[in-house]
Amino acid sequence: YFFLKESKINLAIQNLKIETFDSGNNVIKNIRYFSTDKQGNEYLIISEYGEISNKDANIILMKNVTSQINLFKKDTIYINSKFAEYNSLTFDTNFKEDVFLEYSEHKINSENMDLSFKKNFVQIYNNIIYKSPTNELFADKLEIDLLTKDSKIFMFNNEKIRILGK
């Protein structure tokens, strides 16, 4: 036999500090998303503030973003930026403004970075400064295959990429 048990919850009014923001949407504070794929790779993205996009309910517009990608049995990649657009269905993320990426002994600063888990691909662009223990490189666009770690470096026009040896 099944019994239906009715329970009531008593909610007491508490003195809560409520922060308000000048935004047309609901603002979410201290956002944290964690996901794992079939290969065992882990993706964590944390944001100080965020809100759901007016155009797509699956897009979260984030502010003050920190991210970590743990590639299974490989390196850990750390990413920071002022803003990001995170797709909660595909986990694809577009980082914007003061993007900083660090993995192993490599450090990359840029204005934009697009991360696609569907394609296992990273595209970094606009004012790239790449630093390694032996070189410093200045370019417009960098593409990285997350599986093979193959990378391509470009300039938007026919200028040469600037490389400084240490």
Side-chain angles (χ1 to χ4, degrees):
Y1 294 98
F2 294 100
F3 296 97
L4 179 62
K5 185 176 181 180
E6 194 174 308
S7 62
K8 294 182 182 180
I9 301 171
N10 185 9
L11 299 175
I13 297 174
Q14 300 176 9
N15 292 329
L16 299 174
K17 182 180 177 186
I18 300 172
E19 295 182 44
T20 58
F21 301 93
D22 186 21
S23 173
N25 294 331
N26 292 328
V27 175
I28 307 165
K29 188 175 178 183
N30 298 324
I31 300 171
R32 180 183 208 97
Y33 283 99
F34 179 80
S35 63
T36 305
D37 66 11
K38 293 176 186 175
Q39 290 81 28
N41 300 313
E42 299 173 338
Y43 182 51
L44 171 67
I45 186 164
I46 301 169
S47 173
E48 188 176 327
Y49 298 102
E51 61 184 279
I52 298 170
S53 171
N54 291 332
K55 297 176 186 173
D56 185 348
N58 296 315
I59 302 293
I60 311 295
L61 307 173
M62 299 179 157
K63 183 176 180 183
N64 298 331
V65 182
T66 302
S67 182
Q68 180 177 326
I69 304 167
N70 296 318
L71 299 173
F72 184 70
K73 295 184 180 180
K74 295 183 182 178
D75 295 328
T76 299
I77 301 168
Y78 301 94
I79 306 164
N80 295 313
S81 70
K82 285 188 178 178
F83 302 99
E85 289 182 15
Y86 174 74
N87 187 318
S88 60
L89 287 180
T90 64
F91 313 120
D92 291 351
T93 310
N94 300 328
F95 297 90
K96 299 175 185 178
E97 207 171 309
D98 292 335
V99 178
F100 177 72
L101 180 142
E102 181 177 9
Y103 71 97
S104 199
E105 296 178 339
H106 308 276
K107 296 177 180 165
I108 302 171
N109 290 304
S110 73
E111 289 301 312
N112 302 88
M113 181 179 130
D114 298 338
L115 173 62
S116 173
F117 286 102
K118 194 178 213 178
K119 299 175 185 175
N120 287 307
F121 193 73
V122 175
Q123 182 173 269
I124 304 167
Y125 51 99
N126 294 331
N127 301 319
I128 296 173
I129 301 171
Y130 168 84
K131 294 179 182 179
S132 74
T134 57
N135 295 314
E136 191 167 341
L137 181 138
F138 303 87
D140 290 333
K141 187 175 180 183
L142 170 64
E143 295 177 347
I144 303 169
D145 184 316
L146 290 175
L147 298 177
T148 64
K149 293 193 179 181
D150 290 340
S151 60
K152 296 178 184 178
I153 302 168
F154 302 93
M155 293 298 281
F156 290 136
N157 49 30
N158 289 329
E159 292 180 31
K160 293 182 179 181
I161 297 170
R162 211 169 92 209
I163 301 173
L164 302 174
K166 294 184 180 179

